[in-house]
Amino acid sequence: MARYRLSLLSAAMMTAGVSSFVLAQETAPQPAEQTTEEQVEVIQVRGFAQSLFRSLDSKRFGDVVSETISADDLGALPDVSIADALTRLPGISAVRTGGQAAEINIRGMSGGFVFSTLNGREQVSTSGKRNIEFDQYPSELISSAAVYKSPKASLIEGGVAGTVELQTARVLSNDKTHTFTANLRGMQNDRANEVPDGEEFGHRFSLSYQGKFLDDTLGLALGYARLYQPSVATQFIGLAYNVSRDLNQDDTPEYISEGFEIQHLGGEETRNGYLGSLQWQPNEAFSLTGDVFISQFDREAFARGFRVKFEGATANISNPIYNGSSLVGGNISRTRNGFTRVEVVNDDNRDADEVHSYGMKADWDINDRVNLVFDLSHSRASSDFRNGLLWSLVAQDATVANPVLDPNVSINYQLNGLNLPAIGLSQADAFSDINRLMVSKYGIYPFVNTDEVNAARLDLSFDLELPVIRSVEFGVRYSARRYSNDRSVFEYGSDGMFLTGQPPLRLTADMVKQVDFKGKFASYPSYLAIDLDKALAAWFPQGIPQPVQTWGAGNPDVINRDPNATANTAWSLLESGRVYEDVLASYLMANLDTELFGLPLTGNIGVRRVTTDQSATNLSDVGGDPLRGAQNIADEVGLINTRYAAGIVGDKYTKHLPSLNLNLALTDEWQLRFASAKVISRPPINRLASVTSFNISDTGEITGNSSNSPFLRPFEANQYDLSLEYYFGSGALAAALFYKDIQSFIQDDVLPEFDFKAAGFPVPDFIIPDPESGVPVATRNGSLFTAVNNSNGGYIRGAEIAWTQVFKALPGALSGLGAQLSYSYTESEVSLINSLGGEPIETTFEGLSKNVVNATLFWEYEGIDTRINARYRSPFVSSQVGINEQITNFDSEMVVDFQFGYQFNDNLKMLFQVNNLTDEPTKSYFGQQAMTGTLQFFGRQYFLGAVYSF
């Protein structure tokens, strides 16, 4: 049987240790006995071009459809994290958070369908979801990243969109005995001057060492990377259309938004990453490797400005302007018994995230044909998010002993699509007047999440050297994942009124400063920025009470309730809980090496069997009936609730996932690939928590959540890939088609004006927000957020084309010119129903952009290394954060980055970078552009620094 023969360029790569795609600049000397065909040409390339060619090597010789970024690429591009670097690959785009890529989308599917590993080991996340937050991983500590678009049986299941495999250094494969690298870059954001108290300057710093000892049998890698960066933005956020009302009295409802926010965002982010790897290889047959990766990411952020709450169910609305049946403008004023208001917000958020990953791997060639790999791993993540919310309202006169709320609230507004709206507020002058503005409410609502997975894996491979089957692999993996979510609360005052029992705080001059909007936002009213610590010290002179997990002293189902209290915060217990997930997976895979029509054919065929046992703690509402298991359940302050039965509920299922990958070498340069597989993505880990809860606001609105359940099943799809690849001396050209036949998926839904009482929720007809005044407020139905497994299915399909070339044939300095270009087209018949814009409409699948373009132009010559990269994605659907998380349509965006570097010598390189060169904002809308969602402006980031290595 004829074996697959490497091309001449591939042989050159193996001989020189450079790349199989570099052009020749000089002819390497050849022994006299070599034939003309065996003579190869070799050049030495460095920098960005070398990293591209290494990536093409990995793609060409891989056994699945994949894309790869090499260490040089990750270390040299202007990337704060690996997320930005990954978006330079075909078919991959990013969702920006705070102007920075954190979540990636692959082939039109959102981050929830992306599975990620570090050194082949499952990683948990600080987000409470499955997908990791890539900004947690410093690019300086990652040696390579691969995106597997088609799976094989030996890969851990979970990535319907794809699997991202991150790799840290393997020292014993280095050419040098010792290497040391130091990287220092200062940074500046050019919009920081528009955000009062916004930080302007930051820095990045990293150190790494790799060394080989004991005759190259022991390898040690150590790394540290620090990031301190300002986070600034100015934003308008439109809120969901959650109220319907027959304004025109024509028996058809019109939809009214909850309101909008105009705010300054600021703060700083600090990330410290640590890496350690020890590799021992006493002989060629055995190696033992231990890895440690730790990332600590702390964020301190503030949001200041004002929030307009229409309270459309009770407001007086005149001169309405509609987009269809949704209100996009008009005059909204407060009625006598209404709650229409403008809140001046001063929010301070703190988030402490940590990721730990540990692993030990033994690789043993038992004999010439049998290999055994045993791997133990532990990954854990924690997130402690504490959001302190300080809200203020306008009084008629804040100087009197018993101030009264100013009811003269009138809002004139008209949305302007993807441009800032026109707004007029009757109380605008009072927002910066300490004799009118008073703090009415303080609230803190911490989220504390922990997530960890322990796993053990055993893989065996047997070389058979049979005519068709080259080898067989068998493996088994067991993992135990544990997730917890703890909510707690402290509230004082009200965001809709002044309470007599919890009176508002009068502001003093030392607590505040006036803040003006600038630039495009300059027409909006000034407001008072409040020093949170000083205000709270004045309001709570005996000390600020801390948040607790409590039923609420006014909860009607509490035995020892306070008859004068109204606080019902049962949600803090109902939305807290534990999730348990145990997975046992095994696989059998045959690696193929044969011929088809006389052409070399390689690949693999296999099946993976996965059994998942998932469960969660549960508080079941049994109405206090002891015969149905009602128990006395105490909270953290000793309040005892008798309504619920505590237990653990869950589900168990088994999936069989066959896969096939075939690679046909048409010539030495042309390669045809085909792949087919059944794939799954489990629900986000937080969605498996058992939660059915409702909440009643101070204004009487009831909202509910039943979107989490331990009975949710995975997203399932059958997928097919076909690609044609051409590798030539100075680059490569690849074209691919893909098709995903979706069998089932999890669909979120919002049911407006849901009848909670008819559904069995124990909601009262009235609440009394202020026990001293005793004035009752009628409750009214709001929205219920829910989720189901939708089995209707559908397809996602598309095409990709990617081209990479270095123009070495050009004369002189132009020989260092190169380009990388990719285009992806994706479409789907899967549509989701979204009613956040009012009348329910169909939207595309979350994360799907029909068109994604990535273009890089680079030039390297005599120490100069410069490149510009542009990433475009057409409109897509994703989530934004308003008061709650909202699924909205995002407008198309073009993000441009630039880098210039100069290599002074073999050791020292200077770098200048600009991220978001054109100051591209994020813009979103509710179904139609006339219904504005988010307009957020981040600014440009400038970097200047140097890299020193030896």
Side-chain angles (χ1 to χ4, degrees):
M1 179 185 70
R3 295 286 184 182
Y4 178 75
R5 181 172 61 85
L6 292 178
S7 69
L8 299 183
L9 289 169
S10 302
M13 178 274 293
M14 298 178 69
T15 301
V18 183
S19 169
S20 61
F21 306 106
V22 294
L23 283 174
Q25 287 182 330
E26 60 181 0
T27 302
Q30 302 294 333
E33 66 269 22
Q34 277 192 317
T35 67
T36 302
E37 182 185 26
E38 290 174 326
Q39 293 180 358
V40 296
E41 294 180 315
V42 180
I43 68 162
Q44 298 295 326
V45 293
R46 297 180 179 179
F48 184 65
Q50 183 186 31
S51 70
L52 290 179
F53 293 143
R54 286 178 174 170
S55 299
L56 292 176
D57 274 340
S58 299
K59 178 181 179 69
R60 181 178 188 180
F61 297 113
D63 57 354
V64 299
V65 179
S66 66
E67 311 288 347
T68 305
I69 302 174
S70 76
D72 289 338
D73 196 357
L74 284 170
L77 286 174
D79 303 311
V80 174
S81 73
I82 63 168
D84 286 311
L86 289 170
T87 59
R88 290 167 171 79
L89 296 175
I92 300 176
S93 53
V95 178
R96 295 188 296 164
T97 301
Q100 186 172 292
E103 174 188 309
I104 66 169
N105 300 160
I106 300 178
R107 287 181 164 178
M109 304 190 75
S110 63
F113 303 107
V114 177
F115 185 75
S116 301
T117 61
L118 179 67
N119 296 323
R121 300 164 183 136
E122 180 180 4
Q123 296 296 289
V124 293
S125 173
T126 58
S127 66
K129 302 179 182 179
R130 298 279 179 183
N131 50 301
I132 68 172
E133 294 182 304
F134 284 99
D135 56 359
Q136 193 87 43
Y137 293 78
S139 61
E140 298 92 336
L141 301 184
I142 304 298
S143 64
S144 67
V147 178
Y148 300 117
K149 296 179 178 178
S150 70
K152 57 182 178 179
S154 59
L155 286 176
I156 303 175
E157 74 288 340
V160 169
T163 297
V164 177
E165 163 63 7
L166 307 179
Q167 287 284 347
T168 56
R170 289 294 174 258
V171 183
L172 295 183
S173 61
N174 289 352
D175 294 330
K176 296 182 179 180
T177 302
H178 299 280
T179 60
F180 174 83
T181 301
N183 185 337
L184 176 61
R185 307 180 196 186
M187 62 187 302
Q188 185 254 347
N189 186 293
D190 68 354
R191 271 193 181 269
N193 62 353
E194 294 186 7
V195 178
D197 298 327
E199 292 290 333
E200 184 176 1
F201 297 100
H203 61 263
R204 291 174 64 186
F205 173 68
S206 67
L207 293 171
S208 64
Y209 167 76
Q210 298 181 50
K212 295 188 288 187
F213 305 89
L214 303 179
D215 296 327
D216 293 348
T217 62
L218 184 68
L220 173 66
L222 298 172
Y224 168 71
R226 175 179 173 82
L227 166 72
Y228 173 79
Q229 68 175 4
S231 174
V232 297
T234 310
Q235 67 180 17
F236 169 89
I237 294 184
L239 304 178
Y241 289 71
N242 61 355
V243 172
S244 60
R245 178 175 163 188
D246 186 5
L247 294 174
N248 294 329
Q249 298 182 349
D250 56 0
D251 296 327
T252 59
E254 282 74 44
Y255 297 92
I256 306 168
S257 167
E258 187 175 354
F260 57 82
E261 301 175 348
I262 299 177
Q263 296 178 339
H264 288 118
L265 305 183
E268 55 269 356
E269 300 175 344
T270 305
R271 183 188 64 202
N272 290 290
Y274 307 87
L275 169 71
S277 178
L278 190 64
Q279 186 179 9
W280 179 52
Q281 189 171 342
N283 53 60
E284 293 184 356
F286 179 80
S287 68
L288 184 66
T289 305
D291 296 297
V292 176
F293 176 87
I294 300 172
S295 178
Q296 299 168 330
F297 206 157
D298 296 330
R299 299 176 176 89
E300 294 187 5
F302 61 80
R304 298 172 181 166
F306 51 87
R307 177 184 298 124
V308 173
K309 298 297 291 291
F310 291 154
E311 295 293 343
T314 59
N316 179 52
I317 300 175
S318 60
N319 302 317
I321 301 171
Y322 298 106
N323 178 71
S325 58
S326 296
L327 192 73
V328 295
N331 178 272
I332 298 180
S333 57
R334 184 180 181 119
T335 57
R336 181 174 182 180
N337 296 317
F339 291 93
T340 302
R341 62 194 182 276
V342 180
E343 306 163 1
V344 174
V345 297
N346 284 263
D347 300 347
D348 279 85
N349 302 325
R350 299 183 180 182
D351 192 4
D353 294 345
E354 285 196 16
V355 171
H356 292 247
S357 181
Y358 306 92
M360 181 70 71
K361 178 180 179 181
D363 191 324
W364 180 27
D365 289 331
I366 298 175
N367 55 44
D368 290 343
R369 294 196 172 189
V370 181
N371 174 261
L372 180 148
V373 177
F374 181 65
D375 189 281
L376 289 173
S377 64
H378 168 79
S379 176
R380 73 172 184 266
S382 62
S383 176
D384 187 349
F385 177 67
R386 300 174 67 86
N387 55 333
L389 312 179
L390 196 72
W391 297 321
S392 304
L393 299 173
V394 175
Q396 290 181 347
D397 186 351
T399 65
V400 300
N402 297 303
V404 177
L405 191 73
D406 179 12
N408 181 29
V409 181
S410 179
I411 301 136
N412 284 284
Y413 84 106
Q414 183 172 349
L415 299 182
N416 191 23
L418 298 183
N419 297 302
L420 290 172
I423 293 171
L425 304 173
S426 62
Q427 296 177 325
D429 292 340
F431 298 155
S432 53
D433 184 354
I434 60 173
N435 293 322
R436 298 284 307 280
L437 194 70
M438 302 191 74
V439 177
S440 64
K441 182 174 182 178
Y442 172 66
I444 183 167
Y445 310 88
F447 293 75
V448 179
N449 297 324
T450 63
D451 193 1
E452 71 172 50
V453 60
N454 295 299
R457 177 173 179 172
L458 178 68
D459 297 271
L460 279 168
S461 64
F462 303 86
D463 288 338
L464 302 179
E465 297 187 0
L466 295 176
V468 176
I469 300 176
R470 183 182 74 248
S471 63
V472 172
E473 297 181 33
F474 166 79
V476 61
R477 178 180 181 270
Y478 172 77
S479 66
R481 188 166 185 171
R482 303 293 182 261
Y483 169 81
S484 68
N485 176 42
D486 288 291
R487 299 298 314 277
S488 54
V489 58
F490 170 71
E491 293 180 318
Y492 186 87
S494 169
D495 57 351
M497 63 185 74
F498 290 165
L499 301 182
T500 305
Q502 298 176 348
L505 171 71
R506 184 182 177 188
L507 295 167
T508 57
D510 64 316
M511 298 180 189
V512 303
K513 67 177 179 180
Q514 180 173 315
V515 172
D516 303 320
F517 283 99
K518 299 179 180 179
K520 296 180 179 180
F521 289 74
S523 63
Y524 297 134
S526 302
Y527 63 92
L528 292 180
I530 301 172
D531 186 306
L532 182 68
D533 293 333
K534 289 182 179 180
L536 293 181
W539 218 6
F540 305 101
Q542 304 303 317
I544 306 168
Q546 294 303 301
V548 292
Q549 195 174 97
T550 178
W551 297 109
N555 188 300
D557 302 305
V558 170
I559 295 176
N560 45 347
R561 71 185 298 267
D562 181 351
N564 297 317
T566 59
N568 183 351
T569 55
W571 59 265
S572 67
L573 279 88
L574 297 173
E575 294 182 14
S576 300
R578 306 293 181 268
V579 174
Y580 311 93
E581 181 182 82
D582 296 293
V583 179
L584 179 62
S586 58
Y587 74 91
L588 179 64
M589 184 175 73
N591 294 304
L592 309 176
D593 190 347
T594 184
E595 288 185 347
L596 181 65
F597 306 121
L599 300 175
L601 178 68
T602 59
N604 55 71
I605 184 171
V607 64
R608 189 173 185 89
R609 184 181 188 271
V610 184
T611 299
T612 303
D613 188 350
Q614 62 191 35
S615 58
T617 55
N618 177 64
L619 291 178
S620 180
D621 189 345
V622 294
D625 186 351
L627 297 179
R628 297 170 60 195
Q631 304 166 24
N632 290 351
I633 302 174
D635 64 14
E636 291 183 351
V637 297
L639 297 174
I640 299 173
N641 193 309
T642 63
R643 187 176 189 88
Y644 299 92
I648 295 178
V649 294
D651 194 12
K652 185 175 182 179
Y653 58 87
T654 297
K655 300 291 182 182
H656 292 85
L657 309 174
S659 61
L660 171 69
N661 290 275
L662 297 176
N663 312 312
L664 183 65
L666 302 176
T667 68
D668 285 345
E669 292 78 26
W670 289 91
Q671 184 166 264
L672 181 67
R673 295 183 187 269
F674 173 76
S676 175
K678 182 176 182 179
V679 290
I680 63 171
S681 284
R682 296 184 180 87
I685 193 71
N686 61 335
R687 299 292 297 271
L688 295 179
S690 182
V691 176
T692 301
S693 62
F694 70 94
N695 184 59
I696 305 175
S697 72
D698 290 341
T699 62
E701 182 184 29
I702 310 167
T703 56
N705 189 324
S706 65
S707 58
N708 298 339
S709 169
F711 297 98
L712 288 174
R713 291 294 186 95
F715 183 107
E716 297 183 34
N718 295 318
Q719 67 177 40
Y720 308 91
D721 291 87
L722 181 66
S723 64
L724 181 64
E725 302 163 3
Y726 172 53
Y727 298 90
F728 50 94
S730 57
L733 179 67
L737 300 173
F738 62 89
Y739 185 93
K740 296 180 186 291
D741 181 18
I742 298 170
Q743 306 298 304
S744 67
F745 58 91
I746 297 172
Q747 179 174 333
D748 294 309
D749 201 2
V750 181
L751 306 178
E753 295 192 341
F754 182 78
D755 193 335
F756 286 87
K757 180 171 290 188
F761 286 84
V763 296
D765 293 324
F766 295 91
I767 61 169
I768 302 177
D770 182 2
E772 293 193 16
S773 67
V775 178
V777 174
T779 59
R780 65 184 189 279
N781 289 322
S783 299
L784 175 69
F785 298 84
T786 187
V788 296
N789 278 104
N790 188 320
S791 59
N792 292 334
Y795 65 76
I796 295 178
R797 64 189 181 192
E800 297 171 352
I801 186 167
W803 167 64
T804 300
Q805 187 167 359
V806 178
F807 301 104
K808 282 293 180 181
L810 295 177
L814 294 179
S815 63
L817 192 65
Q820 188 180 33
L821 178 66
S822 68
Y823 168 72
S824 301
Y825 175 82
T826 308
E827 64 177 19
S828 175
E829 69 174 352
V830 177
S831 61
L832 305 179
I833 303 299
N834 189 330
S835 58
L836 292 181
E839 190 171 352
I841 62 171
E842 289 189 354
T843 66
T844 62
F845 204 74
E846 188 173 349
L848 190 149
S849 287
K850 279 194 172 183
N851 300 289
V852 175
V853 180
N854 191 325
T856 301
L857 181 67
F858 61 92
W859 180 58
E860 298 175 348
Y861 185 73
E862 294 186 352
I864 296 175
D865 175 2
T866 185
R867 69 195 71 119
I868 188 167
N869 172 263
R871 304 183 301 280
Y872 168 83
R873 70 180 302 183
S874 59
F876 62 101
V877 172
S878 190
S879 61
Q880 72 173 23
V881 176
I883 294 178
N884 299 302
E885 188 172 276
Q886 303 175 149
I887 302 298
T888 57
N889 299 76
F890 280 69
D891 192 34
S892 60
E893 62 180 23
M894 170 85 80
V895 180
V896 180
D897 297 335
F898 170 77
Q899 175 176 337
F900 174 85
Y902 182 74
Q903 190 82 39
F904 289 96
N905 51 48
D906 289 341
N907 304 114
L908 180 62
K909 183 176 183 178
M910 182 273 292
L911 292 169
F912 172 70
Q913 305 163 354
V914 186
N915 286 356
N916 195 22
L917 184 64
T918 59
D919 194 11
E920 181 79 350
T922 289
K923 298 183 177 183
S924 70
Y925 49 93
F926 294 101
Q928 299 182 38
Q929 292 187 359
M931 293 179 286
T932 314
T934 294
L935 305 174
Q936 190 174 57
F937 298 82
F938 313 105
R940 303 171 184 85
Q941 283 186 322
Y942 297 88
F943 296 82
L944 179 63
V947 179
Y948 182 79
S949 61
F950 63 85

